[in-house]
Amino acid sequence: MEEFKIENNQEPTSIELRPGLEGVPVTQSSICDIDGIKGDLKYRGYSIAELAQKSSFLETTFLLIWGNLPTASQLREFENQIQMHRRLSFRVRDMMKCFPESGHPMDALQSSAASLGLFYSRRAIDDPKYIYDAVVRLIAKIPTMVAAFQLIRKGQDPIQPRDDLPYSANFLYMLTEKEPDPLAARVFDRCLILHAEHSLNASTFSARVTASTLTDPYAVIASAVGTLAGPLHGGANEDVIKMLQEVQTPDLAGKYLDKAIKSKQKIMGFGHREYKVKDPRASLLQSFAEELFARFGKDEMYDVAKALEAEASPRLGPKGIYPNVDFYSGLVYRKLGIPRDLFTPIFAISRVAGWLAHWREQLSANRIFRPTQIYKGEKDRNWEPLEDR
Ligand code: ACO
């Protein structure tokens, strides 16, 4: 840890540099509580295992954003509003048709989400109706954007949402053009619940920093989507599948790990800043994968994943490195027929609930984020004319 003294017009202060802000509280929050030693995760005081078993994603979204589980009429109203706002303006669809089909769907999502600020440009962030409408629009339209880009890049026109289908079933329908099996839709909805919130991770911090400038919620969500895309964050779920393909068979897992660890390569889907045990979401996702395999047939990569987890335990466990949320989610999505580069956009569909909860919380006691730095660069240089350099 580096220490230095800063001098300004106040008393000299000692400042400790904490790279990555590890362990530095930057806000107070009542949204999500993580016990990284016990492997426990709660949203607004409710265990995620119970929410995933008993709630729907939209009910969980309401809980995260407004602090309490909705009453029956609040939930009905919220679901109706979301259903009414699922469609995209033809202008957004036409804009998306101009995106390069080879581009990553996360980039398409970031651009489309940001574009909503052009369509809904009133910035009344102290008006509860504006906040409710923005929440509804973002929760409703983000899945439609993800599904639309998938069809557009295949050269097809996006299909319209179906009003008779609930949130998750409708998304899978818009994506695959088939009405999903009820078990597939329920498992998908439970995956969204598990990914909906996780305190001050990189993308949520990004959302809160953007929110603290009092900009519009579409910019808040677009900046969070861009942050989630990185391979050290949400993008890891795609790399896990690539890694399992590289390992090839369960008996090669130990050899793969030894080589990777020796060359200081990170094992994708392992490790977490908060958890020093297996991420509780990884255990639940593993059980969802098994539910799907029992019904629709096994994925041969599952045995590779289990072997990798078992072999990693003696090698990485002593350092507190265990599977995180990204380790088993890709196997669930693969079984649902979802292409690999949509895993992170699906993470975003879910996490928008947490980002919006943090947007509201940030606005309720806002102070613009403006950390400091330790300047290490040159001082007092003489400017040289071009011909003398
Ligand atoms: N594989 C091998 N070693 C690891 C791993 C891993 N996945 N993760 C951490 N380590 C080791 C590091 O090499 C380091 O070892 P050292 O002290 O001997 O140098 C030590 O553990 C600490 O690692 P850091 O990278 O400093 O830990 P940090 O808390 O900064 O990183 C992170 C957390 C980024 C998640 C890291 O574990 C990682 O890169 N994992 C792989 C990518 C991944 O799965 N990301 C998804 C995270 S979940 C999410 O964002 C949704």
Side-chain angles (χ1 to χ4, degrees), residues 22 195 198 201-202 228 230-237 240 260-261 264-274 276 279 281 316 319 321-322 324-327 347 351:
E22 183 167 0
H195 287 86
H198 210 236
N201 53 81
L228 183 70
L232 293 186
H233 193 10
N237 53 15
V240 169
I261 292 168
K264 298 242 172 258
Q265 188 190 317
K266 290 270 178 75
I267 313 301
M268 286 293 143
F270 277 80
H272 201 282
R273 183 68 65 79
E274 294 284 323
K276 298 304 157 215
D279 185 328
R281 300 167 299 173
L316 297 174
K319 282 171 111 178
I321 298 166
Y322 288 95
N324 61 44
V325 67
D326 287 326
F327 192 61
F347 195 153
R351 187 54 62 85

Side-chain angles (χ1 to χ4, degrees), residues 278 282 285-286 302 305-306 309 325-332:
K278 185 171 175 178
L285 285 160
Q286 185 174 4
Y302 182 52
K306 278 199 302 185
E309 181 179 351
V325 67
D326 287 326
F327 192 61
Y328 286 107
S329 62
L331 289 173
V332 173

Side-chain angles (χ1 to χ4, degrees), residues 57-326:
F57 171 65
L58 288 186
E59 195 179 9
T60 307
T61 298
F62 190 101
L63 167 72
L64 285 168
I65 297 175
W66 281 287
N68 290 306
L69 284 168
T71 62
S73 67
Q74 283 171 330
L75 183 59
R76 211 175 319 112
E77 168 67 8
F78 190 50
E79 287 172 341
N80 286 344
Q81 287 292 322
I82 302 266
Q83 192 200 67
M84 275 167 55
H85 287 89
R86 288 196 289 215
R87 283 170 176 69
L88 299 177
S89 146
F90 76 92
R91 289 165 187 252
V92 175
R93 290 201 308 270
D94 285 356
M95 176 192 74
M96 294 179 79
K97 285 179 188 166
C98 296
F99 293 168
E101 57 276 8
S102 57
H104 196 286
M106 276 302 267
D107 295 323
L109 179 60
Q110 189 183 18
S111 311
S112 319
S115 79
L116 292 180
L118 289 161
F119 295 96
Y120 309 102
S121 56
R122 197 172 75 95
R123 191 181 293 163
I125 53 176
D126 44 4
D127 173 356
K129 175 149 177 19
Y130 174 87
I131 292 182
Y132 187 85
D133 290 349
V135 164
V136 163
R137 263 189 217 115
L138 280 157
I139 300 288
K141 293 189 195 302
I142 294 261
T144 314
M145 288 171 171
V146 173
F149 185 66
Q150 170 64 4
L151 294 199
I152 288 170
R153 68 179 174 164
K154 290 199 292 182
Q156 294 171 233
D157 264 332
I159 56 174
Q160 292 294 348
R162 259 192 35 200
D163 287 345
D164 59 320
L165 292 177
Y167 189 82
S168 286
N170 174 63
F171 170 70
L172 292 174
Y173 162 74
M174 289 190 300
L175 190 72
T176 62
E177 304 168 85
K178 288 195 303 269
E179 190 173 327
D181 177 278
L183 174 70
R186 177 63 188 139
V187 165
F188 185 78
D189 201 67
R190 293 163 85 194
C191 289
L192 295 186
I193 293 172
L194 293 189
H195 287 86
E197 161 59 9
H198 210 236
S199 81
L200 269 201
N201 53 81
S203 57
T204 303
F205 184 46
S206 181
R208 281 191 89 125
V209 171
T210 310
S212 79
T213 70
L214 306 185
T215 186
D216 69 64
Y218 310 105
V220 169
I221 297 307
S223 84
V225 170
T227 310
L228 183 70
L232 293 186
H233 193 10
N237 53 15
E238 293 180 35
D239 291 336
V240 169
I241 298 296
K242 281 189 220 155
M243 177 181 72
L244 296 177
Q245 278 161 343
E246 269 170 51
V247 177
Q248 292 180 351
T249 54
D251 56 310
L252 296 175
K255 204 169 139 202
Y256 177 91
L257 286 170
D258 287 336
K259 197 167 156 221
I261 292 168
K262 200 164 163 222
S263 60
K264 298 242 172 258
Q265 188 190 317
K266 290 270 178 75
I267 313 301
M268 286 293 143
F270 277 80
H272 201 282
R273 183 68 65 79
E274 294 284 323
Y275 295 113
K276 298 304 157 215
V277 293
K278 185 171 175 178
D279 185 328
R281 300 167 299 173
S283 306
L284 288 163
L285 285 160
Q286 185 174 4
S287 72
F288 298 171
E290 286 179 355
E291 245 180 275
L292 291 177
F293 299 152
R295 173 75 170 277
F296 303 112
K298 197 161 149 192
D299 182 334
E300 72 286 355
M301 268 195 207
Y302 182 52
D303 288 334
V304 181
K306 278 199 302 185
L308 207 66
E309 181 179 351
E311 294 286 348
S313 177
R315 292 168 171 86
L316 297 174
K319 282 171 111 178
I321 298 166
Y322 288 95
N324 61 44
V325 67
D326 287 326

